[in-house]
Amino acid sequence: MIRLIFGFALILLNSLALSGQPEKPQQPNIILFLVDDMGWMDTSQPFGDSVMALNRKFHTPNMERMAREGLLFHQAYANPVCTPTRTTLISGMSAARTHITNWTSVTPGQPTDFKDDVLEAPRWNVSGLSTTNDPQTYSCGKPLPQLLKDAGYFTIHVGKAHWGSLGTRGSDPMNLGFVVNIAGSSLGHPQSYYGEQNFGNMPGKTTFNAVPDLQAYYGKDTFLTEALTQKAMAAMDFPIRNKNPFFLYLGHYAVHLPIQADRRYIDKYLAAGLDAREAGYASMIEGMDKSLGDIMDYLKAKGIEKNTVIIFMSDNGGLANTGRGGARNTQNLPLRAGKGSPYEGGIRIPMMIKWPGVTRPGTKTNTYVSAEDFYPTVLEIAGIRSPVRVDGKSYVPVLKDPAKTKNDRPLLFHYPNRWTANEDEGYAWSGAMRLGNWKIVYLMKQQKLELYDIEKDPGEQHDLSGSDPRKLKELARLWTRELKQRGAQMPRWKDSGKPVAWPDALAH
Amino acid sequence: MIRLIFGFALILLNSLALSGQPEKPQQPNIILFLVDDMGWMDTSQPFGDSVMALNRKFHTPNMERMAREGLLFHQAYANPVCTPTRTTLISGMSAARTHITNWTSVTPGQPTDFKDDVLEAPRWNVSGLSTTNDPQTYSCGKPLPQLLKDAGYFTIHVGKAHWGSLGTRGSDPMNLGFVVNIAGSSLGHPQSYYGEQNFGNMPGKTTFNAVPDLQAYYGKDTFLTEALTQKAMAAMDFPIRNKNPFFLYLGHYAVHLPIQADRRYIDKYLAAGLDAREAGYASMIEGMDKSLGDIMDYLKAKGIEKNTVIIFMSDNGGLANTGRGGARNTQNLPLRAGKGSPYEGGIRIPMMIKWPGVTRPGTKTNTYVSAEDFYPTVLEIAGIRSPVRVDGKSYVPVLKDPAKTKNDRPLLFHYPNRWTANEDEGYAWSGAMRLGNWKIVYLMKQQKLELYDIEKDPGEQHDLSGSDPRKLKELARLWTRELKQRGAQMPRWKDSGKPVAWPDALAH
């Protein structure tokens, strides 16, 4: 009898427990710490196998700390320029598929391609990503933040958005699923990093690049990076206090042009003999690094460090074309070229992930990943099933076992556009594909294919297209198939009106 | 034994229940629908005892609907101008105490008082309200949104903020406890209501009055009122879906100057023979009314209508000084004068509250209330104990029984400033106090007190100061005491440097 009553009481207790808060696995908080235009070498934390010359130029103690606490990717990739990477991050789709292959202007309907006498850019989605069927945008029905929000995540956007032009739904992060938006709009680089200059908001001088939402810092000596960091921490307050899982997309405007010294750090770089421009750049890097440290400290202070995933990455390679100090194309050495190019300097990015309990402290991986993989990865971390088939692939297995996975899928970098006046080093009309140790590069205007063994020759100095025509042909065929599968666009020859040939037409 | 085991099981069950989600009374959602510069007569819904001439000029079907569904206040009051009311709303403190007695400029440290040869404004808090000890702001340690947020409310700000100047913490609603801020900053009136004009954001022409955060509407024919309404509905989505109580502060920029026709409604007013300016104004009123209807419909569609309190009010009386069509001081008839004046046209506001289950449909009250009462009322509705003693008094008892309460406390309207070029009708250096049926007015420059019986003479046409000196003296004494208790400031005479006399010095 007594046993019976005990049993009854236990059933009651069990049913009570079931009627309470559902016992679903805890959703971790997810932070994307996205730096703009930061190169693979712009840090004292080596992303190669050893400390190299440029690593000694920078001071990024918090990146070093994150590397000690998490997993570092030797070979992480993004698109050659910003909007394609950013739209890929929240759509999961390749730029070849979204047709957002170049950076978007604040002005809707306005292509940003540099004028060219020989080639004409395809009709790409010049206004960016949206959630409507606007013919000038890529229609992403359920962007990543929307899926996270639908699953109960408190989604925060702080900083640079740059998903769509003015007047499109995609210009407003709230239309893409963010609950909170601070300082994000159609603009791609800040009019000013200085609070003293109101971040560009100066009547008579204000352009569309003036950064919104930071009025409390106007007239103060707060650097933009610092202001955004403080706002990000303030925005995390509500979900932390209410035990709501959150997704923070902290898109720093730094270290995009204009190079403006972060006065907190400039002196040491000038003292080290850097010219004003490079010292300014290094100070912006260190300001960004301070932000990373502040965010990590904040998580610790709030007691949520152990349940928060931090993904650190850049949106493309470092600038090496114009606008930096020193000789052109030296800023990412040993990597070749820089932002805007499909050579490694333009697409290889610094990337680290810390997922306490999953990634192991101080580990590194040679598995390559691309910006397309971010979307399925975040969904898997959050326990959300993707509603669409995306081009990327979740790298959660790599996080769990960085040694196990293989580099056996093609990564595409498609840039059928012309970025700037310079046409050397792949800065115009170009593309690339990585597969295993191999990389094939297409210089469209020159109608030239190149082949590199990236493991042996990360600096892309030894073109093997002549010595290994079979490999070239094999890769060109695969690449062409992959491009066609994604519905990729090609530029057209102005004289004939015909599209540029697919890569396989050049490999015999 | 069996009884003992049952007892044990019950104790277990109880302790389990206690450890789960606390069983606190459900917190209702609260919406403040705040219209800017809307007069007591600017609506087809009469706030007086009967339909009067000006009521026939306007079409506000959704205000009529709200009156049918909720409680209407015949005698609700605010300050003569906007910032004092807005800072009072979220601090609970009288403008006499906050020393924010005039509207604040976007420029910090800049008084907005019109130049005067005889009187000088006191050193009021010209930069508005903040949460710091900045000497030019009123330090409100825990503004209302912060208290609500601390209690678990999801706090949303949409529209006009105007709590503090650029560079102060108060310029950013997020610093005052809002989780989400859309379009609120230091600005007090919009550069443009038109999406076609990017709400003022036009490079080369952008001023500090350009409205931020609405890029998705740039170049479109969306009126500002509509854009803010859509954004407010989008912002409510997260808390509704997550069953989180929310506080929405929807501060419409309408119907402040500039008068710009809301093209959806303008035709009927032109057809009715109104001049372009007044037709434009009436169209802006109707656009605002449409917003109210949309919000009510949205709550119904989302199934949260029954648990949502809506408070409709304006921040001061209707404009009747300059900038409107028709003869001056006729726009609020039968009330005297308008915005900027302590006569009824400047301080009596349209106000209605709908709290399903508490207020009864289609009821009205003669109990007077003021802007100061909003803070303690909202706290009581939310079940939060006020951390400070405020000047206002909760009107929750009025909501429960609109007939029972008495008009037996003094309401103060303190305006020791000069607003515009016009000095007639109390538009400069003035104040008033309401007590019971009585109202005493102080015209400081003229050194004159006036006395009105508001119940018999709401148009303030019969000054009784000469015929009832005893009542005048009694009120002047009380008023002086109340002003001193609040630490009120007075202007100074420029020639002597001495402050203007307190009211009791003029009543013998």
Side-chain angles (χ1 to χ4, degrees), chain B residues 60-262:
Chain B
T60 57
N62 293 293
M63 288 184 67
E64 294 175 36
R65 169 181 162 197
M66 186 172 170
R68 284 194 302 273
E69 297 179 6
L71 170 65
L72 179 148
F73 287 78
H74 287 299
Q75 303 193 71
Y77 288 101
N79 289 85
V81 292
C82 57
T83 316
T85 292
R86 288 161 191 274
T87 50
T88 287
L89 288 177
I90 66 165
S91 72
M93 299 299 182
S94 161
R97 189 183 302 278
T98 65
H99 295 177
I100 308 168
T101 45
N102 207 355
W103 63 279
T104 48
S105 166
V106 288
T107 310
Q110 186 163 294
T112 54
D113 308 279
F114 197 88
K115 199 174 140 52
D116 192 291
D117 291 333
V118 180
L119 287 176
E120 184 168 33
R123 286 193 189 147
W124 57 284
N125 286 320
V126 298
S127 300
L129 178 140
S130 197
T131 50
T132 62
N133 287 320
D134 177 341
Q136 284 175 331
T137 60
Y138 175 72
S139 174
C140 177
K142 286 271 188 182
L144 180 62
Q146 187 65 53
L147 293 171
L148 289 162
K149 183 182 168 194
D150 289 351
Y153 270 81
F154 186 92
T155 47
I156 305 165
H157 181 270
V158 179
K160 173 171 167 173
H162 206 198
W163 284 296
S165 305
L166 295 170
T168 69
R169 276 185 65 79
S171 64
D172 183 344
M174 280 186 68
N175 289 337
L176 302 174
F178 284 103
V179 175
V180 170
N181 170 43
I182 299 161
S185 69
S186 59
L187 76 96
H189 67 269
Q191 191 172 332
S192 170
Y193 282 94
Y194 292 138
E196 295 94 331
Q197 297 174 354
N198 304 344
F199 312 110
N201 296 278
M202 294 170 291
K205 296 182 189 171
T206 308
T207 70
F208 284 131
N209 291 321
V211 183
D213 300 336
L214 301 172
Q215 292 209 338
Y217 300 98
Y218 284 13
K220 304 221 165 1
D221 66 349
T222 310
F223 201 71
L224 178 56
T225 308
E226 178 68 26
L228 295 175
T229 307
Q230 290 179 13
K231 292 291 288 179
M233 294 192 292
M236 283 187 277
D237 182 55
F238 182 84
I240 291 173
R241 283 209 267 176
N242 291 278
K243 301 193 191 311
N244 203 117
F246 66 83
F247 171 61
L248 167 64
Y249 182 113
L250 175 50
H252 274 299
Y253 283 101
V255 294
H256 198 295
L257 297 181
I259 294 175
Q260 292 179 311
D262 188 330

Side-chain angles (χ1 to χ4, degrees), chain A residues 101 113 120-122 124 414-418 429-430 444 489-491:
Chain A
T101 45
D113 307 280
E120 183 168 36
W124 57 285
H414 190 56
Y415 196 26
N417 302 80
R418 179 167 176 182
W429 318 112
S430 62
M444 298 173 188
Q489 298 174 312
M490 292 299 263

